[in-house]
């Protein structure tokens, strides 16, 4: 592996030193890392103390709050909905360490929020939001941070305004039936369903819904899912899409709001809430592939070769039920296209003349989104898209230089004989721009993506150049990408070898 890495790096050797642009962002990130390390030391010290006292469970709980510094694998804890309860008396054995832990976390959260404001003033949009999210993780009841992430306090919970309005109307979300009135829930549980204003048996309801004109409609805050599969599956899809959307806009806020708008949001504190198009995103989910193909065959002749598609003209995503599917990667791929396209209200040509690689690359990257047991994972290097990217680069020695890649528009890109290889490369390059060197290129890259989706010119002449944004030439970025992926491959191989070694001991 090391020999191949050396060969590839020599093929794209750098002339001159790497540019020192974005120094302000790098300095801010370095300071943030130092803060994280200092806070981790405080928590480690408390955990060690508890272990010496024989409180192993308490020590383990404290260690769970230690920040995760692995930039290659983004992991996020879901924020709790319920406001925190009162702690045991500080004079009790349990109360003493819990009060100490809460004090440390709240103090750090306050400092992080102040630090996020400083980062925003320096135009580091994505980084500032990263810091806000960490502040909210440490103190879920920090109102300023919660507001920026889209929540308000309501009856002991942190809810979005949409959810609070539903609560006021005596509606609650049920994972089987969606938003239902409390008074109607018993009828649903008895097997009745509401169809055109009247209650009928679920079996009759299911028969009527097979005609897609009578499809179930599940409405959430940001999505409208229509399906003839089943109410329960429609609710499941809608819930997953809503969770995905909430994560997406909090993780990539710079894609939706200008720097001036973001600064304003930070300045108004509890009243802040980033918003984009308030019309619901529409999704059609078919019971069978035959239904899916029949609906779209005329618009998309090759529809039978797809598992899902987003059509800009319709502003609708289309899917069908695939019992063999082990994840929802196609759902998140097309949802990414949909969210980004509909983030602007005006019609425009996206990447028709150039930059198409990032349209598919970003959507492929977002396929790695996983939400399990309250933990969100994104960008796992061992995800199949990134594994393929390394294989194409290292084993197949395939790489199209970035200077050439950015010049390909949609038709040219999709007409390439090496299209599957280009998709793999695009996935890997997005990972590089978002993760390399602790996110060194992250803000610049997201500004580039935002420019592509906001562009009003068909030739893309108003899209900021990656060279200008990063301060590196395309050739230098080529080299950095190859180094990044080669190092990643070595680290994964070493990790696998260590795992096998432990198993054999």
């Amino acid at each position: 592996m090391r020999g191949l890495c050396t060969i590839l790096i020599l093929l794209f050797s750098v002339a001159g030193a790497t540019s020192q642009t974005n120094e302000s962002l790098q300095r801010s990130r370095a300071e943030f890392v130092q803060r994280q390390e200092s806070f981790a030391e405080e928590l480690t010290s408390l955990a060690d103390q508890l272990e010496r006292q024989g409180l192993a469970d308490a020590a383990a709980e404290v260690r769970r709050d230690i920040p995760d510094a692995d930039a290659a694998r983004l992991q996020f804890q879901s924020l709790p909905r319920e406001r925190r309860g009162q702690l045991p008396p500080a004079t009790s054995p349990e109360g003493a360490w819990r009060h100490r832990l809460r004090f440390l976390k709240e103090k750090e959260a306050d400092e992080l929020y102040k630090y996020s404001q400083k980062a925003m003033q320096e135009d580091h949009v994505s980084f500032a939001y990263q810091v806000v999210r960490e502040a909210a993780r440490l103190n879920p009841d920090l109102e300023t941070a919660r507001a920026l992430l889209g929540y308000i306090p309501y009856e002991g919970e942190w809810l979005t305004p949409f959810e609070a309005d539903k609560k006021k109307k005596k509606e609650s979300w049920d994972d089987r039936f969606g938003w239902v009135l409390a008074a109607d829930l018993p009828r649903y549980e008895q097997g009745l369903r509401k169809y055109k204003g009247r209650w009928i048996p679920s079996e009759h309801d299911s028969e009527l819904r097979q005609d897609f004109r009578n499809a179930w409609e599940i409405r959430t805050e940001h999505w409208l899912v229509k399906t003839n599969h089943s109410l329960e599956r429609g609710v499941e899809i809608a819930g997953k899409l809503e969770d995905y959307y909430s994560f997406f806009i909090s993780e990539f806020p710079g894609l939706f709001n200008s720097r001036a708008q973001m600064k304003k949001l930070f300045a108004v504190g509890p009243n802040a809430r980033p918003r984009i198009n308030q019309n619901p995103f529409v999704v059609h989910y078919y019971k069978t592939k035959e239904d899916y193909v029949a609906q779209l065959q005329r618009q998309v002749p090759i529809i039978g070769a797809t598992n899902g598609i987003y059509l800009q003209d319709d502003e609708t995503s289309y899917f069908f039920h695939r019992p063999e599917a082990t994840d929802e990667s196609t759902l998140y791929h097309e949802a990414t296209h949909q969210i980004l396209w509909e983030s602007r209200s005006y019609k425009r040509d996206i990447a028709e003349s150039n930059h198409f690689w990032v349209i598919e690359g970003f959507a492929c990257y977002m396929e790695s989104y996983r939400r399990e047991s309250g933990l969100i994972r994104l960008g796992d290097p061992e995800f199949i898209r990134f594994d393929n990217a390394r294989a194409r680069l290292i084993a197949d020695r395939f790489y199209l230089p970035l200077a050439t890649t950015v010049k390909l528009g949609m038709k040219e890109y999709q007409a390439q004989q090496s299209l599957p290889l280009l998709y793999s490369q695009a996935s890997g390059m997005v990972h590089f721009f978002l993760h390399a060197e602790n996110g060194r290129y992250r803000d610049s890259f997201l500004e580039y993506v935002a420019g592509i989706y906001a562009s009003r010119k068909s030739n893309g002449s108003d899209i900021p150049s990656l060279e200008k944004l990063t301060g590196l030439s395309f050739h230098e970025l080529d080299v950095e990408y190859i180094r990044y992926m080669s190092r990643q491959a070595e680290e994964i191989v070493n990790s696998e070898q260590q795992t096998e070694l432990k198993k054999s001991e």
Side-chain angles (χ1 to χ4, degrees):
M1 181 67 71
R2 186 179 300 277
L4 283 173
C5 297
T6 303
I7 291 171
L8 284 164
I9 291 169
L10 286 174
L11 286 172
F12 299 97
S13 59
V14 178
T18 301
S19 173
Q20 298 301 313
T21 57
N22 296 324
E23 290 183 1
S24 174
L25 176 58
Q26 294 312 302
R27 186 165 54 252
S28 294
R29 287 192 179 279
E31 291 173 1
F32 177 66
V33 170
Q34 288 179 347
R35 289 201 63 88
Q36 296 281 81
E37 290 174 348
S38 177
F39 179 60
E41 289 176 0
E42 288 187 290
L43 294 190
T44 299
S45 176
L46 176 58
D48 290 345
Q49 177 184 338
L50 292 171
E51 284 181 341
R52 288 193 295 271
Q53 295 172 359
L55 302 174
D57 291 343
E61 185 173 335
V62 171
R63 293 188 192 281
R64 282 196 292 271
D65 282 314
I66 295 176
D68 182 2
D70 186 356
R73 292 174 171 83
L74 293 181
Q75 294 190 166
F76 312 96
Q77 291 179 355
S78 299
L79 295 174
R81 296 175 65 89
E82 298 78 17
R83 294 178 70 93
R84 295 174 302 174
Q86 290 186 337
L87 295 175
T91 53
S92 67
E94 181 183 4
W97 71 263
R98 287 198 177 278
H99 277 271
R100 176 62 179 167
L101 177 61
R102 181 172 289 191
F103 170 78
L104 290 174
K105 290 167 65 176
E106 289 185 350
K107 178 170 69 75
E108 181 65 10
D110 290 340
E111 291 301 317
L112 286 177
Y113 185 78
K114 294 176 185 176
Y115 193 71
S116 73
Q117 292 181 308
K118 176 176 177 290
M120 182 57 67
Q121 290 168 1
E122 295 175 353
D123 283 339
H124 306 320
V125 176
S126 297
F127 174 60
Y129 248 68
Q130 176 189 346
V131 178
V132 167
R133 190 171 51 242
E134 179 64 8
R137 183 185 76 84
L138 295 176
N139 181 2
D141 293 335
L142 183 58
E143 191 164 340
T144 48
R146 277 287 199 163
L148 278 166
L149 297 173
Y151 298 92
I152 60 173
Y154 182 79
E155 294 186 349
E157 292 184 296
W158 288 104
L159 306 175
T160 67
F162 175 88
E163 292 170 332
D165 183 62
K166 287 288 189 182
K167 290 279 188 178
K168 291 175 185 177
K169 295 176 180 176
K170 307 300 181 185
E171 293 183 53
S172 59
W173 176 262
D174 188 282
D175 288 337
R176 299 162 295 175
F177 315 125
W179 287 105
V180 295
L181 287 166
D184 288 343
L185 185 57
R187 292 190 180 186
Y188 275 96
E189 292 179 331
Q190 290 167 11
L192 297 177
R193 299 291 182 267
K194 185 173 284 189
Y195 180 81
K196 295 185 177 180
R198 61 192 181 93
W199 292 95
I200 61 175
S202 59
E203 295 82 1
H204 187 198
D205 180 60
S206 182
E207 290 175 9
L208 295 169
R209 303 287 187 180
Q210 298 310 299
D211 185 335
F212 206 83
R213 292 172 295 184
N214 302 323
W216 286 281
E217 295 188 2
I218 300 93
R219 179 73 160 89
T220 65
E221 183 167 2
H222 298 100
W223 299 87
L224 173 61
V225 175
K226 298 181 180 182
T227 182
N228 65 343
H229 179 276
S230 64
L231 174 61
E232 291 79 4
R233 178 58 174 160
V235 170
E236 181 184 10
I237 291 293
K240 288 181 176 181
L241 285 170
E242 190 63 39
D243 285 343
Y244 179 73
Y245 174 85
S246 298
F247 168 79
F248 193 96
I249 63 168
S250 65
E251 176 59 18
F252 305 111
L255 295 177
F256 309 102
N257 303 82
S258 69
R259 293 180 184 275
Q261 289 173 317
M262 294 302 296
K263 284 186 176 181
K264 184 178 179 181
L265 288 171
F266 267 68
V268 295
N271 296 319
R273 186 166 191 245
R275 296 177 182 271
I276 61 172
N277 186 4
Q278 294 304 294
N279 295 321
F281 301 104
V282 178
V283 168
H284 288 186
Y285 187 87
Y286 295 93
K287 184 176 183 179
T288 67
K289 184 172 183 177
E290 289 72 24
D291 288 346
Y292 170 81
V293 171
Q295 178 65 34
L296 298 168
Q297 182 77 57
R298 185 174 298 177
Q299 287 174 274
V300 187
I302 63 166
I303 194 65
T306 69
N307 292 324
I309 193 170
Y310 172 64
L311 298 182
Q312 293 177 1
D313 291 342
D314 294 356
E315 293 196 340
T316 300
S317 285
Y318 298 89
F319 306 95
F320 62 91
H321 184 60
R322 298 165 56 215
E324 77 283 2
T326 58
D327 58 47
E328 306 286 8
S329 56
T330 301
L331 186 74
Y332 301 134
H333 182 113
E334 301 305 330
T336 301
H337 287 315
Q338 186 165 14
I339 292 169
L340 290 174
W341 168 256
E342 296 181 32
S343 66
R344 305 297 192 280
S345 59
Y346 50 87
K347 302 294 183 182
R348 69 274 190 213
D349 294 322
I350 298 295
E352 290 292 327
S353 301
N354 44 37
H355 306 293
F356 185 74
W357 76 272
V358 80
I359 302 299
E360 290 302 329
F362 196 83
C364 289
Y365 169 86
M366 293 306 301
E367 290 178 18
S368 66
Y369 171 89
R370 295 290 183 273
R371 184 187 181 105
E372 299 171 351
S373 304
L375 188 66
I376 297 171
R377 295 182 174 88
L378 184 67
D380 185 342
E382 296 186 58
F383 181 66
I384 188 169
R385 287 287 191 183
F386 314 131
D387 186 54
N388 287 342
R390 289 188 299 273
R392 302 294 81 78
L393 176 68
I394 298 171
D396 298 342
R397 307 258 181 114
F398 174 86
Y399 183 72
L400 188 67
L402 190 54
T404 302
T405 302
V406 298
K407 293 178 182 178
L408 297 177
M410 180 178 68
K411 291 182 180 179
E412 288 179 288
Y413 193 93
Q414 293 182 333
Q416 299 292 312
Q417 291 185 345
S418 56
L419 186 60
L421 305 183
L422 287 175
Y423 266 61
S424 293
Q425 177 178 314
S427 305
M429 292 199 75
V430 172
H431 198 284
F432 162 73
F433 279 113
L434 291 176
H435 295 262
E437 296 187 41
N438 291 316
R440 173 183 177 180
Y441 309 110
R442 186 181 177 86
D443 274 18
S444 298
F445 176 70
L446 292 176
E447 186 173 346
Y448 169 67
V449 177
I452 292 172
Y453 276 95
S455 176
R456 292 177 180 268
K457 297 186 178 180
S458 59
N459 64 359
S461 60
D462 56 344
I463 296 171
S465 165
L466 267 175
E467 289 184 298
K468 182 177 180 181
L469 290 170
T470 63
L472 297 180
S473 69
F474 285 135
H475 179 63
E476 289 172 318
L477 288 170
D478 288 335
V479 175
E480 291 303 313
Y481 169 71
I482 292 168
R483 283 177 174 159
Y484 176 75
M485 297 302 282
S486 300
R487 267 197 311 269
Q488 197 175 83
E490 286 190 284
E491 289 169 0
I492 290 173
V493 169
N494 291 337
S495 176
E496 291 174 348
Q497 289 176 343
Q498 291 176 4
T499 300
E500 290 300 319
L501 184 61
K502 288 181 180 179
K503 289 181 179 179
S504 64
E505 291 178 350

